[in-house]
Amino acid sequence: MGYYKNFKSKVLALLLILFISVIAILNLLAADRSFSESENRMLEQLPHFSLKTLVSGDFTADFEKYVSDQFVFRDFWIGAKTDTDRLMGKKMSNGVYLGTNGYLIQDVISPAEEDLKEKIEAIHAFDQATPYMQKYVMLAPTAAALYQDKLPKYAVIGDQEAYLNKVKQWLHPNIRFIDVFPSLYAERDQPIFYQTDHHWTTQGAYVAYLELCRQMGLTPQNEEEFNIQQVTDEFYGSLYSKSGFRHVQPDRLELHLPKDQERYTVTYVDEEKTADSLYAMEQLQRKDKYAVFLNGNHARIHIKTANPNGRKLLVVKDSYANSLIPFLLKHFSEIDVVDLRYYEEDLASFANDQGIQNMLLLYNANTFFEDPSIKNVTE
């Protein structure tokens, strides 16, 4: 009996050694990947070695990230792990909750109060540098704040609405805070957020657009003025990629196309490219289908419309704005769209030189709380 037990242990040990050896060889032979389609992000590349980076610990840390990102069959192992976690009842992976009916919901980011105050101070400094421009700030709540009933039992999330109210209180009275929380909450039974992506849907962006028009004194376009067109029903978004949760239903992606379309020109300034549409339909053939709006994120985009009223708008934004901007074409002659994560010039000087009358700062709450780039608004 002892002989067979010892033999079995040796066989298992040999199989384990064989498995590890095969994986190690495959890792050495496999070509490095630069981009992960399933995770929708750039992958870590082999770091440059130097004595300085070795001593500082940077090389070791970067090499660990590189090995993790380039590990052979990485996508399979991620899926296997989350499937196992799901069978064991785990409802959270990489900051994403698996909610009811396969709804993926990103956790709420709770900001450090001092960091939040620094961002408000940066906005105030920009306001002082551009005194002739009316400012509007819209921070969109995320699905976690609106769909707490869809979260798993015992899920603990931060109070996003409370932090949004702090921003509202700390902003100078001459900067108008556009609170879209009540409007979105009233429509929460409608598909205003994707189930596999962190963005609001075009329907959600339209709800926010109506509130923006009310605050800016604009006459909004009725939904009857649009052809609502479904362009794909196979959209697996950022939360699907980030969480690793599989076996969930894909999203539908719809566009609100105006029935009386007018000509306009879209210029991607840094790329020196122009287009006659805000929609990059070729992106629907790729993983990140949300990039159909404005062809993704760019440092600056200039939009020249057919509206002769001479009104100019500056939109400082994250990707939430990409699906809302098409609704604004009817109201302005020119719209400049700036993403501070990529824009490196003096924004105040640009706004003053161009004679821009209105500015909309539009972020989702998580990005505003987490991303430091808003502090660059005064640089």
Side-chain angles (χ1 to χ4, degrees):
M1 191 72 176
Y3 170 78
Y4 287 109
K5 186 177 181 181
N6 188 41
F7 177 76
K8 182 179 178 182
S9 298
K10 288 182 178 179
V11 169
L12 290 175
L14 286 171
L15 289 174
L16 179 60
I17 292 171
L18 178 62
F19 175 77
I20 294 172
S21 300
V22 169
I23 293 295
I25 292 170
L26 289 175
N27 271 307
L28 289 172
L29 296 177
D32 288 352
R33 297 187 301 159
S34 60
F35 184 79
S36 170
E37 283 285 342
S38 63
E39 295 178 78
N40 192 32
R41 68 176 181 89
M42 301 301 295
L43 297 175
E44 195 77 20
Q45 301 300 298
L46 181 66
H48 174 71
F49 175 83
S50 70
L51 185 60
K52 181 180 178 181
T53 58
L54 180 63
V55 172
S56 67
D58 290 341
F59 177 81
T60 305
D62 291 342
F63 188 77
E64 184 177 347
K65 294 177 185 176
Y66 163 75
V67 171
S68 175
D69 276 7
Q70 300 297 340
F71 199 84
V72 68
F73 307 134
R74 173 182 170 83
D75 295 340
F76 169 79
W77 301 121
I78 290 174
K81 178 184 181 301
T82 51
D83 283 346
T84 303
D85 288 344
R86 194 169 177 178
L87 288 171
M88 295 175 65
K90 186 177 179 181
K91 298 291 185 178
M92 187 180 190
S93 175
N94 204 18
V96 179
Y97 288 104
L98 177 62
T100 57
N101 299 321
Y103 212 112
L104 302 181
I105 303 176
Q106 187 178 17
D107 196 9
V108 166
I109 307 257
S110 296
E113 196 158 295
E114 280 303 313
D115 183 64
L116 189 56
K117 286 181 178 178
E118 288 177 8
K119 291 174 179 175
I120 301 301
E121 289 171 3
I123 295 172
H124 288 164
F126 180 81
D127 182 48
Q128 292 176 357
T130 55
Y132 303 107
M133 188 164 55
Q134 176 62 55
K135 319 295 191 311
Y136 302 87
V137 173
M138 180 190 293
L139 302 182
T142 59
L146 296 169
Y147 293 131
Q148 294 191 29
D149 58 319
K150 294 184 183 295
L151 290 166
K153 291 182 179 179
Y154 314 117
V156 179
I157 64 167
D159 191 345
Q160 192 176 85
E161 187 177 12
Y163 284 109
L164 291 175
N165 285 331
K166 283 187 177 182
V167 173
K168 182 178 181 180
Q169 293 167 10
W170 291 343
L171 284 172
H172 286 165
N174 58 308
I175 301 175
R176 186 169 297 178
F177 184 85
I178 301 176
D179 186 2
V180 293
F181 197 105
S183 300
L184 290 168
Y185 192 86
E187 298 292 328
R188 63 192 300 275
D189 291 334
Q190 301 301 315
I192 58 174
F193 282 90
Y194 296 110
Q195 294 192 133
T196 69
D197 191 76
H198 72 285
H199 294 100
W200 52 22
T201 63
T202 315
Q203 180 66 35
Y206 178 75
V207 172
Y209 157 74
L210 295 178
E211 184 61 26
L212 176 65
C213 287
R214 192 178 74 82
Q215 297 285 346
M216 296 185 75
L218 304 174
T219 302
Q221 300 170 84
N222 296 322
E223 244 182 330
E224 292 75 20
E225 298 178 53
F226 297 95
N227 284 318
I228 301 176
Q229 180 180 339
Q230 178 181 303
V231 290
T232 182
D233 59 359
E234 297 180 348
F235 175 35
Y236 287 102
S238 59
L239 301 183
Y240 176 88
S241 302
K242 182 180 181 181
S243 68
F245 284 122
R246 300 298 181 254
H247 315 299
V248 295
Q249 291 297 313
D251 281 298
R252 296 181 300 171
L253 195 152
E254 296 178 339
L255 306 180
H256 282 50
L257 303 174
K259 293 179 179 178
D260 57 339
Q261 294 190 39
E262 296 181 354
R263 294 185 63 85
Y264 55 88
T265 303
V266 183
T267 302
Y268 299 95
V269 178
D270 285 4
E271 295 86 349
E272 298 182 344
K273 294 181 179 179
T274 60
D276 59 1
S277 174
L278 291 175
Y279 303 108
M281 304 302 284
E282 67 274 11
Q283 296 288 357
L284 296 172
Q285 307 305 316
R286 300 173 183 170
K287 172 67 172 62
D288 185 15
K289 298 184 189 326
Y290 187 80
V292 68
F293 300 104
L294 291 183
N295 200 19
N297 296 312
H298 303 265
R300 182 164 76 89
I301 301 172
H302 179 74
I303 306 168
K304 177 69 175 176
T305 77
N307 192 320
N309 65 11
R311 296 187 67 180
K312 297 181 179 181
L313 174 69
L314 172 64
V315 180
V316 178
K317 60 87 185 183
D318 70 1
S319 55
Y320 259 53
N322 295 3
S323 55
L324 185 144
I325 287 170
F327 295 115
L328 301 177
L329 297 186
K330 289 283 187 179
H331 305 289
F332 297 93
S333 292
E334 296 180 48
I335 302 174
D336 280 284
V337 183
V338 169
D339 193 322
L340 292 174
R341 293 170 293 185
Y342 314 107
Y343 189 78
E344 297 179 350
E345 299 179 27
D346 186 332
L347 187 59
S349 296
F350 170 78
N352 288 328
D353 292 344
Q354 296 298 315
I356 299 174
Q357 306 99 331
N358 297 278
M359 169 189 170
L360 170 64
L361 189 146
L362 199 170
Y363 283 75
N364 82 75
N366 270 359
T367 300
F368 184 81
F369 294 154
E370 185 179 35
D371 190 277
S373 65
I374 188 59
K375 299 176 186 178
N376 300 335
V377 73
T378 53
E379 294 182 1

